[in-house]
Amino acid sequence: MKKSIKAIAAASAALAMAFSCVPVTYAAEDVPAVQTEAEPEAKKTGVTFEESDPVEVPYKGNICLIADDGTVYYEGADTDARCVYYFSLDENGNMDKSYKCSGYTNDKGEYIGIMNSRLKQCGEYFYLIYSEAYGFSMRETVIIKLDSELNEVAKYRAPKTHNLDTNGEKIVYMKPGNRTIYSTDMDGKNKQVLYTLGQDNELNELGTLNFIVVQGDYVGFQGLSGDSLSPKNEKYYCGIIDLKTGEVTLKEQRSVQQLYESNGKIIWYSSESRDMRDSYRIDVPEGEDPNTYCVEYTKKYTEYFKDGEFYVLDDGEYSVIKTQSQREFFGMTIDDDGNVITYIADGKGNTVFKIYRDNKLLDTYTVSVKGFSRFVANNGVITFCYSGRGPQPGDWVSFDPNMSYEEYEEFMASMPKIEYTMKSATINYSVNE
């Protein structure tokens, strides 16, 4: 495993934060982790842990990334002021460096809000990427370049799409429909086609492309091919584009899901199972309860993996990392010493951090907190956030999708506010050689 650390970002690809102008149907911080299984004891190999006292995070903030210099950055929202904050904390838990991103009212009297915001680092600069939206309608994508003190340096506008990323020099994106991957300069000029469905045998015209991550000179995406009516025949790929040469590489794996970037690496993850049915169609026998029959039928043709897999691109070097459990399928990171850090719920209300090296489990560390949310790790430090409360009635709400945005705002204003305080704690770890 190559040991390197470059620009980094949180796993935000998987969980988008939306503020001001889009439906908020639940508090993301309070959703219980999907991993819930009893964990076998790890063989202790001499990892030393030391946990710090927690600090309160302003604006119910959540971790978003850890910078090259070790600074941890958070994202939080002031829903009343309709703005998003990105900030670091000093040793006393007070906001240090910060950037405030707000919506605005245009010349038509429309309030343009912010959705799907995320922060990433590219070299010495940070880039805040978000979509503008009016009500539920997405407008342009905005990229704001920030210096090391989170001062705004430049502002760029990019196409309207959910699949877009930048390395600070190029903007790479897929248009709705996800058939072609493009790149442009930061100012939108010099548009080029990087990859199109149908240009090779692996991903034919019936395939799909999903998600975009750009890290350094490489673009990562997920590809899916096969008979769209037969899940058994579907094939999953980690797609890699070399921005310098234009070369496209497809790595077929068992079940490639979303991808994200962490500590300078592009990381794809596998799901815990794969659908092995011959057809998506299920014919329910006469007299059978449809719900029960479909559940049992799906279980019968579901292949559950015995371990977890992550696929990692580190400065052009591709590798497969295995974890002890197939339920460790999101949020893994690799620190600057090549240690792999994951987390999982133990089924008893605890969160277990795991440290691997060379696909071998070295040790575990358990924290007993409610509302565990996210973590970042590097340089011998794990920092995580939690809400201090478990799921409660009222966390999940629904609304009529046909209502106007004004009706939606009135509906949300009538909902009782959920009171909680986000906290951040740090675990120092040291692997004894």
Side-chain angles (χ1 to χ4, degrees):
M1 173 61 63
K2 183 177 180 179
K3 301 178 181 179
S4 68
I5 173 170
K6 294 184 178 180
I8 54 178
S12 105
L15 182 62
M17 294 187 69
F19 302 108
S20 304
C21 56
V22 294
V24 181
T25 55
Y26 60 90
E29 300 89 341
D30 299 328
V31 178
V34 294
Q35 304 96 332
T36 53
E37 66 175 21
E39 286 296 298
E41 287 293 326
K43 183 178 180 181
K44 307 302 181 182
T45 56
V47 179
T48 302
F49 298 95
E50 183 178 356
E51 186 174 349
S52 70
D53 293 330
V55 296
E56 182 177 331
V57 184
Y59 297 106
K60 295 183 173 63
N62 209 343
I63 283 173
C64 62
L65 68 86
I66 182 170
D68 289 353
D69 63 3
T71 302
V72 176
Y73 288 90
Y74 301 82
E75 55 188 349
D78 185 336
T79 54
D80 293 332
R82 294 184 171 185
C83 61
V84 183
Y85 288 92
Y86 286 86
F87 55 90
S88 62
L89 299 178
D90 62 21
E91 58 184 11
N92 297 316
N94 299 314
M95 286 179 62
D96 189 11
K97 295 179 284 187
S98 67
Y99 181 80
K100 177 182 177 182
C101 185
S102 304
Y104 64 94
T105 301
N106 63 18
D107 54 8
K108 297 179 181 180
E110 300 171 331
Y111 181 77
I112 306 300
I114 304 161
M115 63 185 296
N116 303 332
S117 61
R118 56 191 172 91
L119 185 70
K120 68 177 295 183
Q121 184 180 15
C122 300
E124 62 180 305
Y125 293 101
F126 295 90
Y127 291 83
L128 173 60
I129 305 170
Y130 64 90
S131 296
E132 292 186 338
Y134 173 59
F136 303 137
S137 176
M138 178 188 291
R139 300 289 177 90
E140 288 181 307
T141 301
V142 177
I143 302 175
I144 297 178
K145 182 178 181 180
L146 305 170
D147 64 18
S148 60
E149 297 298 317
L150 299 189
N151 298 309
E152 184 172 327
V153 176
K155 188 174 185 177
Y156 310 97
R157 291 192 173 272
K160 178 179 71 174
T161 176
H162 290 286
N163 286 318
L164 179 147
D165 200 13
T166 183
N167 62 0
E169 298 179 358
K170 294 286 185 179
I171 297 173
V172 181
Y173 65 96
M174 288 187 283
K175 289 184 177 180
N178 297 357
R179 297 185 57 82
T180 302
I181 300 174
Y182 302 90
S183 72
T184 68
D185 295 339
M186 298 300 293
D187 58 7
K189 298 179 180 179
N190 296 322
K191 181 178 177 180
Q192 294 181 323
V193 173
L194 299 181
Y195 182 76
T196 301
L197 278 173
Q199 74 179 47
D200 50 49
N201 294 326
E202 287 84 1
L203 284 174
N204 56 35
E205 293 180 354
L206 297 177
T208 60
L209 305 177
N210 295 289
F211 316 113
I212 284 287
V213 168
V214 186
Q215 188 61 52
D217 294 324
Y218 296 92
V219 177
F221 63 93
Q222 184 248 28
L224 175 64
S225 71
D227 185 349
S228 61
L229 297 179
S230 176
K232 181 179 180 180
N233 296 322
E234 289 178 339
K235 295 182 179 180
Y236 296 83
Y237 297 91
C238 298
I240 303 165
I241 303 173
D242 188 325
L243 287 174
K244 285 187 174 180
T245 66
E247 180 182 2
V248 179
T249 304
L250 297 174
K251 299 283 189 178
E252 183 181 351
Q253 300 294 353
R254 69 186 190 188
S255 176
V256 182
Q257 301 300 305
Q258 288 190 18
L259 58 153
Y260 57 96
E261 54 190 313
S262 180
N263 290 354
K265 303 164 184 63
I266 299 175
I267 301 175
W268 298 256
Y269 62 89
S270 170
S271 65
E272 61 178 309
S273 63
R274 182 170 180 174
D275 193 336
M276 298 300 292
R277 290 179 289 171
D278 291 322
S279 173
Y280 281 110
R281 179 182 175 86
I282 299 178
D283 294 316
V284 181
E286 186 176 353
E288 292 278 359
D289 175 56
N291 292 328
T292 302
Y293 184 84
C294 291
V295 169
E296 294 303 319
Y297 183 90
T298 303
K299 285 182 179 179
K300 181 179 179 180
Y301 290 97
T302 299
E303 176 188 6
Y304 290 92
F305 305 127
K306 295 181 179 180
D307 52 20
E309 281 189 355
F310 292 88
Y311 316 110
V312 180
L313 187 70
D314 183 6
D315 196 22
E317 295 185 11
Y318 181 85
S319 62
V320 178
I321 291 179
K322 290 187 175 291
T323 57
Q324 186 183 55
S325 168
Q326 82 277 16
R327 291 182 178 270
E328 297 168 70
F329 61 80
F330 181 75
M332 179 272 282
T333 190
I334 305 172
D335 69 12
D336 58 338
D337 287 325
N339 300 305
V340 174
I341 300 101
T342 69
Y343 80 96
I344 191 170
D346 67 355
K348 302 175 183 178
N350 304 312
T351 299
V352 181
F353 291 102
K354 297 184 177 185
I355 298 182
Y356 297 84
R357 182 178 288 178
D358 299 326
N359 287 331
K360 295 181 180 179
L361 181 63
L362 300 183
D363 214 334
T364 64
Y365 186 82
T366 301
V367 295
S368 299
V369 297
K370 292 182 178 180
F372 177 86
S373 182
R374 301 179 191 167
F375 85 98
V376 294
N378 202 19
N379 296 307
V381 175
I382 298 171
T383 302
F384 64 95
C385 278
Y386 63 98
S387 65
R389 65 188 290 278
Q392 298 177 18
D395 288 354
W396 297 82
V397 297
S398 60
F399 63 96
D400 183 354
N402 296 316
M403 68 173 60
S404 67
Y405 184 61
E406 290 73 18
E407 291 173 328
Y408 167 76
E409 284 195 315
E410 291 180 5
F411 170 77
M412 292 304 296
S414 68
M415 297 295 296
K417 290 189 176 181
I418 301 173
E419 297 298 334
Y420 65 94
T421 300
M422 286 295 288
K423 295 182 178 180
S424 176
T426 295
I427 304 166
N428 292 287
Y429 64 93
S430 176
V431 178
N432 300 327
E433 301 292 344

